[in-house]
Amino acid sequence: MADIIECPACRRRVRVPPAAAGRPRCPACKGWLPWLVNADGGDFDAVAAQSPVPVLVDLWAPWCGPCRMVAPAVEQVARDLAGRLKVVKVNIDEAPAVAGRYSVQAVPTLLVLDGSREVARQVGAPPSPAALRTWVEEALSSLPAARP
């Protein structure tokens, strides 16, 4: 099921599917749209591992205070790096198999994936939104040139 995202440039509301072959763009202004989706054990591979762009995976739990504190920063990274990054949020209580697959011992755990390959891992909440963005950009810079 597609989520409705507001284009940061023109404010048009656009349907963005959780899994797609390309990167979401606004049909009106052609700007990149933030790609922030939820996934569970049943659709994680289609949503995250098969993404055409690198993925920031936020493994979180609703009972976790630091998870709730880092959520706005994760959403900001999705907006700031629209077109370069997809953000996938995984509630570990609803998707324990995904948490097990990546040997998650604590939440929040943030992963940068390139396909199904883990490129970077951050356990615990980053000290600031700027630190989170810097960490993500460093992980992205370690990847080969952007895919089309």
Side-chain angles (χ1 to χ4, degrees), residues 72-88:
V74 169
E75 292 168 10
Q76 185 62 48
V77 166
R79 288 188 294 274
D80 293 348
L81 300 178
R84 294 180 50 205
L85 179 76
K86 181 179 193 176
V87 175
V88 177

Side-chain angles (χ1 to χ4, degrees), residues 7-30:
C7 175
C10 71
R11 303 288 185 227
R12 181 176 178 160
R13 295 174 54 83
V14 180
R15 286 190 191 281
V16 176
R23 299 175 288 171
R25 288 189 102 150
C26 177
C29 73
K30 306 299 183 212

Side-chain angles (χ1 to χ4, degrees), residues 10-118:
C10 71
R11 303 288 185 227
R12 181 176 178 160
R13 295 174 54 83
V14 180
R15 286 190 191 281
V16 176
R23 299 175 288 171
R25 288 189 102 150
C26 177
C29 73
K30 306 299 183 212
W32 296 113
L33 295 171
W35 206 356
L36 176 67
V37 299
N38 293 304
D40 58 29
D43 64 358
F44 182 80
D45 284 332
V47 171
Q50 297 172 11
S51 173
V53 294
V55 177
L56 171 62
V57 180
D58 177 10
L59 294 140
W60 68 283
W63 45 263
C64 168
C67 296
R68 291 191 305 270
M69 288 174 35
V70 79
V74 169
E75 292 168 10
Q76 185 62 48
V77 166
R79 288 188 294 274
D80 293 348
L81 300 178
R84 294 180 50 205
L85 179 76
K86 181 179 193 176
V87 175
V88 177
K89 297 182 67 70
V90 179
N91 178 341
I92 64 162
D93 289 343
E94 295 175 356
V98 175
R101 176 183 193 176
Y102 291 100
S103 302
V104 173
Q105 300 292 316
V107 288
T109 293
L110 303 167
L111 308 172
V112 176
L113 302 180
D114 184 32
S116 59
R117 181 177 67 93
E118 183 179 328

